[in-house]
């Protein structure tokens, strides 16, 4: 942990909220009153998100969250940053706090076996272990564990179909291996391992606290992690010790960019990158160019420009 002034708290908790809508306004008010920014998702199945601010401000928000039903022992992963990684504060109501598209799945009813970061290497190095990265394809591209399978999913909602097909493939080979899953902070694996168990898979494990917990506690010289870990804020990616990574971010599609990506002919700051250039129309790129121009002018005036991120999200 560094001495940087901004405290970042990534958190999630599966809990049973009877009326998430009633929780939204008080939570937003606490965050705004304490100058805490970030995004929090509320659903009947619990809470998920990342917030940032001063130590005092974040602690006030966390105290409020811990007082919510079933959240007294909420999972929190902390890091620090030199500058605020979020532009604003949002508390959103969702059907799921991590969208898998399995409405009857209840992670509170049973998940896989948690594995501490210190024990993870031994598990995934075992020849009978199948290691699965449950994140989206663009996240896997910049870093993953040695030997892990990339499902190449564009969204978490594609995971159940992929898993069923992969399981059928393994069973056709006469294999019933141990399955180890991992994700950024642990929340997807709560659902993916619960799904695997609901599908009848008994020996399934997941990395407690996710990749971020592993990178914080396992020394780089002992690590089986390769590359960087994508994070959903202005840091873009982190490495061992949760140090800031080397990747940039496409402001049009929100995907991470390597140095080679930023040198590509299809990269234009705030407008396009090699991955999204063919996904956008000339009209969309013109809007992004104007948004980027306004942001640049705001910086030159010493003002903060929030921009139109929602527009980029709507476009894909």
């Amino acid at each position: 942990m560094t001495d940087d002034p901004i405290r970042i708290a990534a958190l999630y908790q599966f809990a049973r909220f009877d009326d998430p809508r009633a929780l939204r306004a008080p939570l937003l008010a606490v965050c705004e009153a304490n100058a805490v920014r970030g995004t929090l998702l509320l659903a009947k199945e619990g809470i998920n998100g990342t917030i940032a601010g001063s130590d005092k401000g974040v602690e006030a928000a966390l105290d409020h969250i811990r007082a919510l039903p079933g959240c007294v022992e909420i999972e929190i992963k902390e890091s620090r940053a030199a500058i605020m990684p979020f532009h604003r504060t949002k508390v959103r109501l969702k059907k799921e706090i991590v969208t898998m598209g399995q409405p009857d799945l209840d992670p509170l009813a049973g998940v896989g076996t948690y594995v501490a970061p210190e024990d993870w290497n031994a598990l995934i190095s075992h020849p009978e272990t199948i290691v699965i990265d449950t994140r989206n394809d663009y996240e896997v591209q910049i870093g993953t564990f040695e030997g892990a399978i990339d499902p190449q999913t564009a969204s978490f909602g594609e995971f159940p179909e992929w898993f069923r097909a992969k399981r059928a493939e393994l069973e056709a080979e006469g294999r019933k291996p141990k399955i180890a899953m991992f994700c950024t902070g642990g929340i997807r694996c709560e659902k993916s391992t619960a799904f695997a168990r609901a599908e009848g898979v008994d020996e399934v494990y997941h990395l407690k606290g996710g990749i971020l917990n592993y990178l914080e506690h396992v020394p780089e010289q002992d690590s089986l992690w390769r590359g960087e870990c994508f994070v959903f804020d202005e840091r873009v990616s982190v490495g061992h010790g949760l140090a800031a990574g080397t990747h940039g971010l496409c402001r049009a599609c929100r995907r991470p960019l390597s140095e080679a990506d930023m040198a590509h002919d299809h990269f234009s700051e705030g407008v396009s990158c090699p991955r999204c250039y063919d996904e956008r129309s000339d009209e969309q790129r013109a809007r992004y160019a104007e948004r980027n121009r306004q942001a640049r002018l705001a910086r030159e005036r010493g003002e903060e420009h929030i921009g139109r991120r929602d527009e980029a999200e709507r476009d894909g």
Side-chain angles (χ1 to χ4, degrees), residues 1-12 34-40 48-62 65-66 75-88 184-185 212-213 216 229-238 241-245:
M1 198 71 73
T2 69
D3 293 326
D4 289 331
I6 302 298
R7 179 181 178 185
I8 301 170
L11 57 94
Y12 75 87
N34 289 278
V36 171
R37 298 182 184 178
T39 298
L40 294 168
N48 176 31
T50 305
I51 55 176
S54 67
D55 287 312
K56 183 177 179 180
V58 169
E59 193 59 36
L62 293 179
I65 292 170
R66 290 188 183 103
E75 186 84 17
I76 298 171
K77 174 52 58 183
E78 296 195 3
S79 57
R80 304 195 76 88
I83 60 174
M84 169 61 73
F86 300 108
H87 292 304
R88 47 191 160 182
T184 306
L212 297 180
N213 198 29
E216 181 178 5
C229 178
F230 181 77
V231 289
F232 295 87
D233 58 53
E234 292 299 308
R235 294 173 297 169
V236 185
S237 66
V238 297
L242 302 183

Side-chain angles (χ1 to χ4, degrees), residues 188-203:
R188 289 191 188 190
C189 291
E190 300 277 356
K191 277 200 166 181
S192 61
T193 59
F195 174 78
R197 291 194 63 190
E199 292 283 298
V201 179
D202 295 324
E203 199 168 6

Side-chain angles (χ1 to χ4, degrees), residues 35-196:
V36 171
R37 298 182 184 178
T39 298
L40 294 168
L41 307 180
L42 291 172
K44 286 192 172 183
E45 66 178 11
I47 185 171
N48 176 31
T50 305
I51 55 176
S54 67
D55 287 312
K56 183 177 179 180
V58 169
E59 193 59 36
L62 293 179
D63 284 344
H64 182 91
I65 292 170
R66 290 188 183 103
L68 298 177
C71 292
V72 66
E73 295 181 357
I74 188 168
E75 186 84 17
I76 298 171
K77 174 52 58 183
E78 296 195 3
S79 57
R80 304 195 76 88
I83 60 174
M84 169 61 73
F86 300 108
H87 292 304
R88 47 191 160 182
T89 309
K90 292 181 281 187
V91 180
R92 292 176 167 175
L93 297 174
K94 295 285 187 177
K95 291 182 179 180
E96 300 176 74
I97 56 173
V98 56
T99 304
M100 193 185 204
Q102 301 291 313
D104 298 327
L105 186 66
D106 182 9
L108 291 174
V111 297
T113 302
Y114 293 103
V115 180
E118 296 80 4
D119 300 324
W120 184 248
N121 286 358
L123 173 65
I124 67 174
S125 297
H126 193 284
E128 293 301 315
T129 302
I130 299 296
V131 188
I132 301 173
D133 193 330
T134 66
R135 299 171 304 154
N136 296 337
D137 50 9
Y138 65 89
E139 299 171 75
V140 181
Q141 286 173 1
I142 72 168
T144 191
F145 280 106
E146 190 174 287
I149 295 173
D150 175 9
Q152 299 182 345
T153 51
S155 71
F156 193 43
E158 298 176 6
F159 184 82
E161 182 179 355
W162 176 87
F163 182 84
R164 286 171 176 145
K166 187 64 179 179
R167 180 188 179 189
E169 176 188 320
L170 292 171
E171 290 182 347
E173 297 173 358
R175 301 176 63 188
K176 288 188 177 181
K178 293 186 289 188
I179 294 177
M181 299 186 189
F182 64 92
C183 58
T184 306
I187 184 170
R188 289 191 188 190
C189 291
E190 300 277 356
K191 277 200 166 181
S192 61
T193 59
F195 174 78

